[in-house]
Amino acid sequence: MSDLIPQLELISFKLCPYVQRAVITLKHKQVDFKITYIDLQNPPVWFKEISPLGKVPVLKVNDAEILFESSVIQEYIDEITPPSLHPIDPFVKAKNRAWIAFGGELMGMQGLHGIIHEKDPAKCEKIIDSIKDLLTRLEAVHSGQAFFNGEVFCLIDAAYAPMLMRFGLLKQHCDLDLLEGLPKMQAWQQTLLAKPCVKESVVAQLPQMYRSVILHYEGFMASKVN
């Protein structure tokens, strides 16, 4: 990589799926970077000073400038490390950005996070049904090839890989298969999780840590942990 690329440091915690988007992008492009993990329950004083919302991820650029919000960080990394992982066609690029935002809904409290937090079985089932409905919509626009747009790995693939990884962990720990009946999603998950840049984007202890988090929230899914 060019010496013109600034010094990059990602601030996160070990379970964060959003910083993982940026890590996948950096590893795919073979860019040097540093990652610093913090405890969000007891963040250091310096983190409170640099994070406007008190959230991760945060990207420090040249140990001076600060970026926050995962999609913004991912886009910035892509722009300073050509060639871009976005499609060239402006309309296709815009559609990819829209579906990346769609993925954020799948990760939120009405999505993946909600599943592991919700204590009421009926409400949890409602969230699961909503996720499956959204995934059916995603299935309909997926290329049906190796990656979202076709045979080329793009930024949108890096954005969805953390979610698909956690779907796999839910299936492993709770026997919940959110991708059942969705062959494109299943194939996409297998392809992405086999990529080195995805496998190397998380700490080795992630499966055990994710299981512990499910149990910690004592939601309905905690009763399903095997």
Side-chain angles (χ1 to χ4, degrees):
M1 275 296 166
S2 169
D3 292 336
L4 296 177
I5 295 175
Q7 180 182 353
L8 303 173
E9 180 182 0
L10 284 163
I11 313 298
S12 183
F13 69 99
K14 291 180 179 180
L15 279 164
C16 180
Y18 298 104
V19 75
Q20 190 182 353
R21 294 174 165 184
V23 174
I24 292 168
T25 305
L26 287 162
K27 286 187 172 292
H28 179 78
K29 292 192 168 187
Q30 299 181 339
V31 178
D32 289 332
F33 69 99
K34 177 183 178 182
I35 188 163
T36 299
Y37 294 113
I38 64 169
D39 179 0
L40 273 185
Q41 301 303 314
N42 186 29
V45 173
W46 58 261
F47 176 73
K48 297 177 182 179
E49 294 172 350
I50 67 172
S51 178
L53 298 174
K55 298 178 181 179
V56 293
V58 170
L59 179 69
K60 293 178 71 174
V61 182
N62 286 333
D63 204 30
E65 298 293 337
I66 297 296
L67 283 177
F68 59 101
E69 292 296 327
S70 63
S71 60
V72 174
I73 292 171
Q74 193 185 16
E75 291 260 5
Y76 170 73
I77 291 169
D78 185 54
E79 288 179 1
I80 64 172
T81 56
S84 175
L85 291 177
H86 260 319
I88 296 174
D89 182 272
F91 185 72
V92 178
K93 183 189 298 185
K95 284 178 65 177
N96 274 207
R97 287 185 170 125
W99 285 106
I100 288 173
F102 181 89
E105 294 297 314
L106 279 163
M107 288 292 293
M109 285 305 295
Q110 295 304 310
L112 189 57
H113 290 328
I115 286 178
I116 65 174
H117 281 78
E118 184 55 58
K119 299 182 185 302
D120 183 87
K123 291 180 180 178
C124 188
E125 288 296 335
K126 188 175 180 179
I127 295 173
I128 290 171
D129 289 342
S130 175
I131 291 175
K132 288 183 176 180
D133 179 64
L134 294 176
L135 288 171
T136 299
R137 294 172 182 266
L138 188 62
E139 173 97 352
V141 296
H142 192 281
S143 68
Q145 300 180 57
F147 301 109
F148 185 84
N149 296 306
E151 294 299 327
V152 178
F153 179 83
C154 292
L155 213 59
I156 190 169
D157 299 294
Y160 272 95
M163 180 191 75
L164 292 170
M165 179 178 285
R166 282 153 185 78
F167 283 175
L169 294 176
L170 269 176
K171 183 177 179 180
Q172 174 185 336
H173 296 313
C174 304
D175 294 323
L176 175 61
D177 187 0
L178 292 167
L179 302 183
E180 184 179 4
L182 300 170
K184 292 181 184 177
M185 294 295 98
Q186 293 171 5
W188 194 26
Q189 181 192 55
Q190 292 175 7
T191 299
L192 288 176
L193 298 193
K195 284 185 67 65
C197 65
V198 175
K199 290 194 290 186
E200 297 168 5
S201 64
V202 294
V203 295
Q205 307 93 335
L206 180 69
Q208 295 83 3
M209 293 176 70
Y210 195 72
R211 183 180 186 276
S212 296
V213 165
I214 297 171
L215 292 170
H216 170 76
Y217 286 117
E218 299 182 339
F220 177 62
M221 275 298 112
S223 68
K224 302 293 185 179
V225 171
N226 49 46

